[in-house]
Amino acid sequence: HNDKALECFQKAQKIFSRIDDMQPQLAATYKSLAAVLKALGQNEKASSYGEKAYQLRQRLGSDSSARSMASAEGPGGDPTADLEAAKTYNNMGTVFDSQGEYEKALEYYKKSLQLRIRAVGPGDVEVAKTYNNIGEVYRVQGFYDQALKYYQKSLDISEGKSGSEMEVAATLSNMGSVYAGEGAYKRALSYYQKSHKIMVRAVGPDHKNVGATYNNMSVIYQAM
């Protein structure tokens, strides 16, 4: 399925090349294109994309921006204070997640979840986003059953809610990644395709997240 993979990587490249803050993803896509082209026997083109990937990564250097923690007041017994504290806990979870400190990330995401449910109820889209974050931490550790459990909680809230299309698409994509990790490639592709369809409908065909979904599908086609 390298032809399909090549097609998807090329579409991702076209999108990422037009978006300034997606240059690291563009470099990764160049590298993937080089690998696919080499597999197809197009060695000259493969070498060209490999050089592009190298040069772009050299240029980017250590400029990738670190995610910072927001400061906020602690919980103050009212919804506004709870939401501010929840946002802070979520940001702290994101930082620990990015550093690979997954137990601490889960601790802060779950604190954020508790406060958000208390402030806005269990059916709010921000609660769904927090469930998704927790699911992602479990996924990257390989705890796939736990990840799917939290992704499904997120979907149960987001599906059918106006304005939540991108949250639904992100969760479906994450579920696809779980199945990819388990080697269930057909099922993974099905979830990526569902995610892709929703994203295109919500934000158009040239959005950076659409490009990321093309990359995900490319990897599955390569593996099948």
Side-chain angles (χ1 to χ4, degrees):
H1 294 81
N2 281 323
D3 288 336
K4 281 279 190 181
L6 179 62
E7 179 185 345
C8 288
F9 279 135
Q10 286 172 332
K11 288 179 178 179
Q13 176 206 342
K14 188 180 291 186
I15 293 170
F16 293 152
S17 64
R18 294 198 293 262
I19 303 172
D20 287 341
D21 65 356
M22 297 300 288
Q23 295 303 289
Q25 287 82 352
L26 179 60
T29 303
Y30 282 149
K31 185 177 179 181
S32 297
L33 276 165
V36 174
L37 287 164
K38 185 175 181 180
L40 290 169
Q42 300 181 38
N43 293 327
E44 191 172 336
K45 284 186 177 180
S47 177
S48 172
Y49 276 104
E51 183 64 23
K52 284 183 179 181
Y54 172 77
Q55 288 181 357
L56 182 52
R57 287 182 183 211
Q58 288 290 104
R59 197 174 80 228
L60 289 170
S62 59
D63 291 340
S64 54
S65 58
R67 286 177 284 183
S68 60
M69 288 189 291
S71 59
E73 296 294 325
D78 65 83
T80 301
D82 279 352
L83 284 174
E84 285 301 310
K87 187 184 298 184
T88 301
Y89 284 140
N90 187 75
N91 289 341
M92 292 170 75
T94 300
V95 170
F96 285 122
D97 190 5
S98 71
Q99 294 173 344
E101 297 189 44
Y102 299 124
E103 286 188 15
K104 286 185 178 179
L106 282 174
E107 176 188 345
Y108 284 103
Y109 282 145
K110 288 181 178 180
K111 286 180 179 180
S112 176
L113 176 66
Q114 184 179 10
L115 289 171
R116 280 178 168 158
I117 290 174
R118 189 168 79 186
V120 296
D124 190 84
V125 69
E126 291 300 318
V127 174
K129 290 178 181 178
T130 309
Y131 281 136
N132 201 15
N133 288 342
I134 293 170
E136 272 293 271
V137 175
Y138 282 122
R139 182 186 68 80
V140 297
Q141 295 180 94
F143 300 139
Y144 294 136
D145 288 343
Q146 283 290 91
L148 287 173
K149 171 186 168 183
Y150 279 95
Y151 291 147
Q152 190 59 54
K153 286 175 180 283
S154 178
L155 272 186
D156 288 343
I157 295 170
S158 298
E159 279 188 319
K161 270 191 168 60
S162 178
S164 295
E165 291 83 1
M166 290 301 286
E167 184 63 27
V168 172
T171 304
L172 289 170
S173 181
N174 291 339
M175 293 173 85
S177 296
V178 167
Y179 292 119
E182 292 180 331
Y185 298 125
K186 287 187 178 179
R187 197 164 190 182
L189 183 60
S190 172
Y191 275 88
Y192 286 146
Q193 287 171 335
K194 288 177 185 176
S195 174
H196 174 264
K197 185 176 180 181
I198 293 170
M199 282 188 191
V200 170
R201 192 167 63 235
V203 295
D206 293 328
H207 192 273
K208 62 185 180 181
N209 289 353
V210 176
T213 306
Y214 278 128
N215 269 351
N216 289 337
M217 289 190 291
S218 297
V219 171
I220 296 302
Y221 282 124
Q222 284 181 290
M224 289 174 71

